[in-house]
């Protein structure tokens, strides 16, 4: 049925560039929501934050940062996919089709979870109120470091790079996760 509405050339174009088009559309939505002064994360944040904080500048600024992180992730995914398709002429390249875009999404997800706690802790500290300390940067970076190990496995299994690179990514991922986890555990549990 779908062939009756589009030519084979259109189908090939969609197969090659649909990921980039989707990422550009999502980036445009994120940036557009910021331009309209209603960052798209605002509706989700309001589900988790009491109404009395909705009008605070820090609440809105936090949502601008988080929405901006998503816009950046979608931009990275679009650029990586376009590089794979237009420069490498390989829409099945693991790096440009999967590894880099997934890393960008993981970074945006982690920032979305991490930054509100940072903003909340800073707000409490500025008002001299008790509360938890800012979460350490290591709690943002651990999942990204952990992503290196499966990337190394993909490199080894798919031949997406030399074998030494796959092994190095696996080892680096393990070492970084252990090191960052140790740093996270060493953080004091009292308010700063």
């Amino acid at each position: 049925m779908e062939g009756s509405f589009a030519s084979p050339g259109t189908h090939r174009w969609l197969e090659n560039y649909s990921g980039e088009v989707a990422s550009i559309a999502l980036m445009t939505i994120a940036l557009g929501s910021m331009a309209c002064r209603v960052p798209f994360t605002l509706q989700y944040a309001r589900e988790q934050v009491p109404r009395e904080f909705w009008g605070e500048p820090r609440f809105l600024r936090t949502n601008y940062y988080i929405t901006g992180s998503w816009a950046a992730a979608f931009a990275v995914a679009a650029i990586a996919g376009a590089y794979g398709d237009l420069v490498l002429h390989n829409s099945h390249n693991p790096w440009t089709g999967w590894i880099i875009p997934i890393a960008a999404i993981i970074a945006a997800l982690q920032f979305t979870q991490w930054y509100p706690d940072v903003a909340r802790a800073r707000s409490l500290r500025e008002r001299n109120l008790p509360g938890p300390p800012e979460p350490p940067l290591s709690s943002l970076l651990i999942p990204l470091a952990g992503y290196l190990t499966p990337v190394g496995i993909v490199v080894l299994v798919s031949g997406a790079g030399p074998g030494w690179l796959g092994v190095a990514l696996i080892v680096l991922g393990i070492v970084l996760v252990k090191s960052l986890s140790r740093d996270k555990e060493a953080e004091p549990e009292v308010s700063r």
Side-chain angles (χ1 to χ4, degrees):
M1 181 84 174
E2 65 187 45
S4 63
F5 295 110
S7 69
T10 301
H11 282 282
R12 278 192 302 279
W13 188 90
L14 287 171
E15 287 173 5
N16 281 336
Y17 302 110
S18 62
E20 291 88 333
V21 170
S23 292
I24 290 169
L26 291 168
M27 179 192 70
T28 303
I29 291 168
L31 294 175
S33 73
M34 292 169 66
C36 292
R37 299 179 183 256
V38 185
F40 79 77
T41 59
L42 204 55
Q43 67 186 19
Y44 305 109
R46 286 180 176 159
E47 294 173 3
Q48 299 176 2
V49 174
R51 183 179 289 271
E52 63 263 20
F53 297 110
W54 293 3
E56 288 191 11
R58 185 179 299 272
F59 178 72
L60 187 58
R61 186 172 48 250
T62 297
N63 280 279
Y64 274 106
Y65 290 161
I66 294 170
T67 300
S69 76
W70 282 100
F74 298 137
V76 167
I79 291 166
Y83 184 82
D85 291 340
L86 300 171
V87 176
L88 301 178
H89 304 289
N90 181 0
S91 60
H92 301 292
N93 181 291
W95 289 97
T96 60
W98 291 99
I99 295 170
I100 294 169
I102 289 172
I105 297 300
I106 291 171
L109 280 168
Q110 284 307 117
F111 188 79
T112 299
Q113 292 178 342
W114 175 80
Y115 190 73
D117 292 338
V118 169
R120 195 173 300 111
R122 287 178 183 171
S123 176
L124 291 171
R125 187 177 62 234
E126 288 169 4
R127 294 182 291 170
N128 292 321
L129 296 173
E134 289 181 30
L137 185 60
S138 59
S139 63
L140 172 67
L141 299 177
I142 288 171
L144 289 168
Y147 182 59
L148 293 175
T149 299
V151 168
I153 294 168
V154 167
V155 168
L156 289 175
V157 171
S158 71
W164 65 264
L165 177 60
V167 172
L169 287 170
I170 292 168
V171 170
L172 183 61
I174 292 168
V175 168
L176 283 174
V177 167
K178 285 185 179 259
S179 175
L180 290 169
S181 295
R182 198 173 318 114
D183 290 348
K184 185 178 175 184
E185 290 171 7
E187 283 289 315
E189 291 297 319
V190 295
S191 184
R192 295 178 195 176

